[in-house]
Amino acid sequence: MNLEAKRLSSVTELPNAHNISSYSGFLTVNKKLNNNLFFWFFPALNNDKTAPVILWLQGGPGCSSMLGLFTEMGPFKLDDKLNLVANKYSWSQNYSVLYIDSPVGTGFSYTTDAMGFATNEQNVAEDLYNALQQFFKLFAEYKNNEFYVTGESYAGKYVPAIGFKLHQMSATSGINFKGISIGNGWIDPLSMLDVGSYLYQTGLIDKTQLNHFYDIQNKTAVDIKQNKYREAFDLFDQLLGGDVTSESYFTKVTGFHYYLNILQSNEPKGADDFAKFLNLNTTQEAIHVGCTAYSSTNTTVFTSLTEDEFSSVKPWFTTLIDNYKVLIYSGQLDIIVATTLTENFLQSLEWKHSKEYSKANRLVWKLDKGDTEVTGYVKRVANFTEVIVRNAGHMVPTDQPRAALSMIDNFIRDLPFE
């Protein structure tokens, strides 16, 4: 039965796919609610059957992991005519990569019951865990391979959630879980609120505007401490997010309509072209999703997790950093989860190597010894690696694909950053 299901999930009719083998389809993760998660799996291009398996999760909440596949680390990208072109810096070169549209309702994933949408990270983790159990039954030959959970942005919540679930179920999961990687991740809002100082130090706001940021940040912190997560969301949305507010204070005073890269005040053109490709009939037939309207973002998923946005996964993250390999990386040019916010979070952590981390030297990282330009900065303590990537915004693999590939290689294979 598994062999037949695997055969049916094989992607064989994708135009110009460069002979890249892949599998896609739906995993029913909750029969009662009819929750179905869409997956697209790419075995390692080097044909190494023992290569580590990487799960990639996008953020949002409500952003499809197809964004990562087509614009970050997938085996191919799209040209301006929506033709597939090979990505020479794909993580699939040396690893088998699994992309899942999560939570339910994101991308191609769907439910037919309004109760199927996740309202907290426990819901997210439960559906993902069920998906992984089914995936490793379908692809049992990969079950003993090392397994890493990775993601960026709001997946700073998802990754620790499913990671902690795997930790809890380690005796029975049958999954060889080794660690996590998070890029520009929203993990612990209380320690990650001070975006105002970053904006002031980079010249985007003045002292008066900084004081307004401080005022709202402090009020948001009070709400978080009182578990008033909806109120915290509303305050910060008016200040910076602009997801519900028509014009955030940030947009009003800076003129920026984009907060993923400090060098860009508007979203780059063509950023959502992959959605056009995924809405083509030929694409949808090839990846077994029937005929459906695909969107790269889902507002229902976003709205359902509104109160989750300012809750924390810090306790789960702490358990993971105490027991597994962890990589935290930041694009130096990001605004929404600026490098300094991640630094504040890491400094606030109490884990078994906290003292060593606080005293650890940060090294200058160059991809090649002869490079004149600095790639970034690295700090390593025990099983933990922190990387800051220069000339990259919120999506590091998009902006610096070669550096991102080298980084994930060094992390998984325990290689030095040189």
Side-chain angles (χ1 to χ4, degrees), residues 118-177:
T119 58
N120 56 56
E121 294 307 315
Q122 287 89 346
N123 297 156
V124 174
E126 190 66 29
D127 281 350
L128 279 171
Y129 182 79
N130 291 335
L132 291 174
Q133 287 296 307
Q134 292 180 52
F135 172 80
F136 281 112
K137 284 182 181 177
L138 194 60
F139 297 90
E141 65 271 33
Y142 296 95
K143 195 167 187 178
N144 293 325
N145 295 23
E146 291 187 354
F147 180 68
Y148 291 85
V149 181
T150 70
E152 71 187 7
S153 192
Y154 203 80
K157 298 278 194 80
Y158 305 155
V159 171
I162 181 57
F164 185 73
K165 179 71 174 180
L166 289 169
H167 173 72
Q168 286 182 309
M169 304 299 291
S170 59
T172 56
S173 72
I175 296 173
N176 188 15
F177 176 50

Side-chain angles (χ1 to χ4, degrees), residues 1 17 37 78 81 90 104 125 137 153 158-159 167 197 365 406:
M1 182 176 178
L37 290 178
L78 293 164
K81 295 181 180 178
S90 172
V104 165
K137 284 182 181 177
S153 192
Y158 305 155
V159 171
H167 173 72
S197 293
W365 173 37
S406 176

Side-chain angles (χ1 to χ4, degrees), residues 159-200:
V159 171
I162 181 57
F164 185 73
K165 179 71 174 180
L166 289 169
H167 173 72
Q168 286 182 309
M169 304 299 291
S170 59
T172 56
S173 72
I175 296 173
N176 188 15
F177 176 50
K178 290 295 182 181
I180 65 170
S181 167
I182 300 172
N184 292 84
W186 186 240
I187 302 169
D188 177 51
L190 187 60
S191 65
M192 304 179 77
L193 290 175
D194 190 18
V195 68
S197 293
Y198 175 76
L199 295 173
Y200 177 68

Side-chain angles (χ1 to χ4, degrees), residues 161-320:
I162 181 57
F164 185 73
K165 179 71 174 180
L166 289 169
H167 173 72
Q168 286 182 309
M169 304 299 291
S170 59
T172 56
S173 72
I175 296 173
N176 188 15
F177 176 50
K178 290 295 182 181
I180 65 170
S181 167
I182 300 172
N184 292 84
W186 186 240
I187 302 169
D188 177 51
L190 187 60
S191 65
M192 304 179 77
L193 290 175
D194 190 18
V195 68
S197 293
Y198 175 76
L199 295 173
Y200 177 68
Q201 294 293 343
T202 52
L204 285 182
I205 60 174
D206 64 17
K207 193 72 172 182
T208 301
Q209 294 158 351
L210 172 62
N211 287 334
H212 179 75
F213 266 85
Y214 282 162
D215 180 47
I216 301 302
Q217 288 169 186
N218 290 337
K219 289 177 179 177
T220 303
V222 170
D223 282 340
I224 292 172
K225 291 175 182 177
Q226 295 177 355
N227 299 326
K228 295 180 179 178
Y229 298 128
R230 176 69 211 206
E231 290 85 346
F233 170 85
D234 288 339
L235 280 172
F236 220 69
D237 189 70
Q238 293 163 21
L239 181 67
L240 177 63
D243 293 303
V244 177
T245 308
S246 59
E247 184 182 60
S248 69
Y249 182 77
F250 164 76
T251 293
K252 181 180 178 181
V253 300
T254 65
F256 275 53
H257 295 271
Y258 187 66
Y259 47 50
L260 303 185
N261 192 311
I262 200 170
L263 302 182
Q264 298 168 307
S265 57
N266 292 285
E267 183 175 8
K269 292 181 179 180
D272 207 33
D273 279 355
F274 70 95
K276 299 176 184 177
F277 176 79
L278 290 169
N279 274 305
L280 296 174
N281 289 336
T282 50
T283 304
Q284 295 197 351
E285 289 175 10
I287 61 175
H288 320 299
V289 294
C291 183
T292 184
Y294 170 86
S295 176
S296 61
T297 58
N298 186 292
T299 54
T300 305
V301 173
F302 180 91
T303 303
S304 299
L305 285 166
T306 297
E307 293 202 19
D308 180 74
E309 288 214 27
F310 282 83
S311 65
S312 177
V313 293
K314 191 175 188 176
W316 297 345
F317 183 91
T318 304
T319 296
L320 294 172

Side-chain angles (χ1 to χ4, degrees), residues 57-131:
L57 300 171
Q58 216 69 41
C63 289
S64 168
S65 291
M66 301 302 99
L67 173 67
L69 197 167
F70 286 101
T71 72
E72 298 193 74
M73 74 293 293
F76 31 59
K77 295 188 176 184
L78 293 164
D79 65 17
D80 55 4
K81 295 181 180 178
L82 300 185
N83 294 314
L84 295 174
V85 293
N87 175 14
K88 66 178 180 178
Y89 297 120
S90 172
W91 293 7
S92 294
Q93 287 186 26
N94 300 315
Y95 309 101
S96 295
V97 185
L98 170 64
Y99 299 86
I100 295 182
D101 276 342
S102 174
V104 165
T106 301
F108 286 116
S109 296
Y110 70 94
T111 181
T112 55
D113 192 319
M115 298 298 291
F117 291 96
T119 58
N120 56 56
E121 294 307 315
Q122 287 89 346
N123 297 156
V124 174
E126 190 66 29
D127 281 350
L128 279 171
Y129 182 79
N130 291 335

Side-chain angles (χ1 to χ4, degrees), residues 371-391:
D371 285 354
T372 56
E373 284 295 317
V374 172
T375 305
Y377 307 95
V378 180
K379 189 182 290 186
R380 268 184 157 170
V381 176
N383 57 307
F384 174 57
T385 304
E386 178 192 6
V387 179
I388 295 170
V389 182
R390 291 187 64 242
N391 301 315

